[in-house]
């Protein structure tokens, strides 16, 4: 029943004050229709959240709405002054990479590989770092292809665990 009363109150507020609130918000935003819509929407949202304030017989709902709209517009203006939008015809520069991060990652992975068993390390080196196919790695190591697949699976799990222990991955 409470929700029904709030719905009726919001409809009544909208019917009675929306046009005046829109006009006021348009004035506050110097004719910027998009910003005025945002101000009106935020004002009505706050009215919905504070329905008890607006449902009182004392005081004016329109006065409350206008005060809230004015404060929202002022807050928006202050935020835009503190963080002005930069408009440019050129896209921002892309970050220059010097390879340092890649080198550090390689070093961390190489260290982690050193902690794996020789079987796991060999299969990862052959398949991932030297680019051998499963069949070629199987021939080089003298094992079945299924063994290479299985070792690769468990080697990657072990490598991930070592990296997690070092805090490199999560």
């Amino acid at each position: 029943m409470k929700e029904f009363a709030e719905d009726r109150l919001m409809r009544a507020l909208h019917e009675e004050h929306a046009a005046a609130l829109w006009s006021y918000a348009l004035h506050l935003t110097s004719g910027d229709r998009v910003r005025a819509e945002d101000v009106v929407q935020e004002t009505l949202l706050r009215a919905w959240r504070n329905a008890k304030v607006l449902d009182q017989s004392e005081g004016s709902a329109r006065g409350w709405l206008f005060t809230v709209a004015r404060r929202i517009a002022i807050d928006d203006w202050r935020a835009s002054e503190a963080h002005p939008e930069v408009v440019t015809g050129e896209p921002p520069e892309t970050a220059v990479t010097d390879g340092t991060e890649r080198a550090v990652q390689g070093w961390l992975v190489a260290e982690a590989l050193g902690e794996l068993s020789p079987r796991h390390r060999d299969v990862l080196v052959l398949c991932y770092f030297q680019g051998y196919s499963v069949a070629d790695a199987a021939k080089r190591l003298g094992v079945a292809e299924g063994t290479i697949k299985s070792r690769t699976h468990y080697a990657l799990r072990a490598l991930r665990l070592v990296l997690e222990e070092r805090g490199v991955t999560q």
Side-chain angles (χ1 to χ4, degrees), residues 6 16 24 26 37 44 52 75 86-87 92 94 110-111 136-138 145 154 156 170:
E6 287 178 358
E16 189 174 338
Y24 184 62
L26 204 53
E37 286 175 6
L44 292 175
K52 291 179 183 178
D75 289 346
V86 177
V87 180
T94 56
E111 262 192 1
D136 291 338
E145 291 180 23
Y154 289 109
L156 288 172
Q170 295 182 15

Side-chain angles (χ1 to χ4, degrees), residues 3-25:
E3 291 176 14
F4 183 69
E6 287 178 358
D7 288 347
R8 281 194 329 219
L9 175 63
M10 290 307 298
R11 281 194 176 92
L13 279 171
H14 187 270
E15 289 172 9
E16 189 174 338
H17 304 290
L21 185 59
W22 165 253
S23 177
Y24 184 62

Side-chain angles (χ1 to χ4, degrees), residues 44-117:
L44 292 175
L45 178 64
R46 290 183 188 182
W48 177 72
R49 288 181 180 156
N50 296 300
K52 291 179 183 178
V53 173
L54 297 174
D55 197 21
Q56 298 174 0
S57 58
E58 300 173 13
S60 165
R62 184 171 288 190
W64 188 90
L65 291 169
F66 278 34
T67 300
V68 170
R70 182 174 161 274
R71 289 179 181 163
I72 291 168
I74 289 170
D75 289 346
D76 288 348
W77 177 78
R78 286 180 179 157
S80 69
E81 288 293 309
H83 305 287
E85 185 176 324
V86 177
V87 180
T88 179
E90 298 293 320
E93 293 179 18
T94 56
V96 177
T97 56
D98 62 358
T100 304
E101 187 166 336
R102 186 175 174 103
V104 169
Q105 286 176 349
W107 174 62
L108 291 170
V109 170
E111 262 192 1
L113 279 171
E115 292 189 30
L116 299 181
S117 70

Side-chain angles (χ1 to χ4, degrees), residues 23-51:
S23 177
Y24 184 62
L26 204 53
H27 169 74
L28 290 172
T29 59
S30 301
D32 186 336
R33 298 178 73 79
V34 174
R35 286 182 54 218
E37 286 175 6
D38 290 344
V39 168
V40 170
Q41 184 177 13
E42 180 64 24
T43 301
L44 292 175
L45 178 64
R46 290 183 188 182
W48 177 72
R49 288 181 180 156
N50 296 300

